[in-house]
Amino acid sequence: MTRLVRGEDFGRLFETFTRSAWRWECQPEYREPHEAEAFRQFLASETPDMSFTTEWLANVRQATAAGRRFERVRVLTEPLTDYLRFEMFAAPDNAAAGEDIRVMSTAAAAEYNLPDHDFWLFDDELVAIMHFDRHGMIAAELVDDADTVARHRRWRGIAWSHAAPFETVLTP
C-alpha cells in the first residue's frame, strides 16, 4: 500500500500507533505556518509563544505514559541554522513530555549513507515519508511495502546507534 495523507489523517497516525513512533528529521529548516510566529519571536530574542505545541506534547505524554515510545534523530548542520537553534530550544519540552531526542551531524549522516528525506516509522510496520515545499509539509506518503519498511528500519538502527542525546549539544 502506498497513499498520501495530510492534515487530520496524518495526525491520526500519532494517536493510533501501538508501540513506537520514530522520526528521522534531516532538513535544515521547516517552514510550518503554525510555528511562524514563535520562530519570529525566537529570532527577535523574545520569549516564543510555544502554545502551538500544547496538543503535541499532551499526546506524547499520554502515549509514553501508556508505554508507547516517541523517538527521533535530528540532523544538525554545523553551524546550526536559525531554525535548528529554534528546534533545539524546544527540545527540552519534548523530552520532558517523554520523547527521546537524539542528534547527529550532517557529516555523520552522510558518512553512514542515511537518507535525505524525513520520515516517521510507526510500529516498525508503516513508513510515512514526508514531502515538503517552501510552505511546509504538503503530505506524507504511507508505505507498508516490506522492502521499504526494512530499509527504513535499517536506517533507524544506524542513526540511533550513532546519534547522541540532544542534551550534548549546546542550545541557545
Side-chain angles (χ1 to χ4, degrees):
M1 165 203 68
T2 299
R3 68 183 174 104
L4 292 178
V5 296
R6 57 184 55 86
E8 289 179 13
D9 290 333
F10 181 65
R12 214 170 347 274
L13 295 169
F14 300 97
E15 299 166 1
T16 59
F17 74 93
T18 59
R19 296 181 312 278
S20 63
W22 191 91
R23 169 88 185 262
W24 172 248
E25 186 176 280
C26 63
Q27 308 306 308
E29 180 177 10
Y30 298 90
R31 295 183 178 108
E32 299 301 326
H34 62 275
E35 298 175 339
E37 179 57 17
F39 183 48
R40 184 204 63 76
Q41 292 167 336
F42 176 81
L43 292 176
S45 299
E46 300 170 9
T47 302
D49 175 3
M50 300 300 285
S51 60
F52 71 93
T53 66
T54 302
E55 188 176 324
W56 172 262
L57 296 176
N59 186 50
V60 171
R61 277 191 294 279
Q62 180 181 14
T64 56
R68 298 182 288 155
R69 293 186 328 273
F70 268 95
E71 300 169 330
R72 81 175 64 213
V73 171
R74 177 174 293 152
V75 177
L76 300 178
T77 59
E78 297 169 8
L80 294 177
T81 64
D82 287 339
Y83 186 84
L84 289 173
R85 287 188 317 106
F86 174 64
E87 282 199 327
M88 295 305 290
F89 165 81
D93 290 340
N94 287 56
E99 187 174 350
D100 189 347
I101 303 171
R102 299 186 187 183
V103 296
M104 72 172 14
S105 69
T106 54
E111 177 183 342
Y112 297 117
N113 295 312
L114 295 169
D116 63 357
H117 64 270
D118 283 37
F119 67 90
W120 281 95
L121 179 59
F122 295 98
D123 295 328
D124 287 339
E125 298 170 357
L126 180 67
V127 177
I129 300 170
M130 301 167 75
H131 298 280
F132 301 91
D133 69 9
R134 61 188 180 90
H135 301 292
M137 191 181 95
I138 54 174
E141 178 183 358
L142 301 184
V143 184
D144 65 0
D145 166 73
D147 291 338
T148 302
V149 172
R151 183 171 50 255
H152 286 79
R153 281 196 314 249
R154 187 172 54 255
W155 284 331
R156 178 199 53 201
I158 293 167
W160 198 249
S161 68
H162 292 93
F166 83 91
E167 298 92 346
T168 64
V169 176
L170 297 176
T171 56

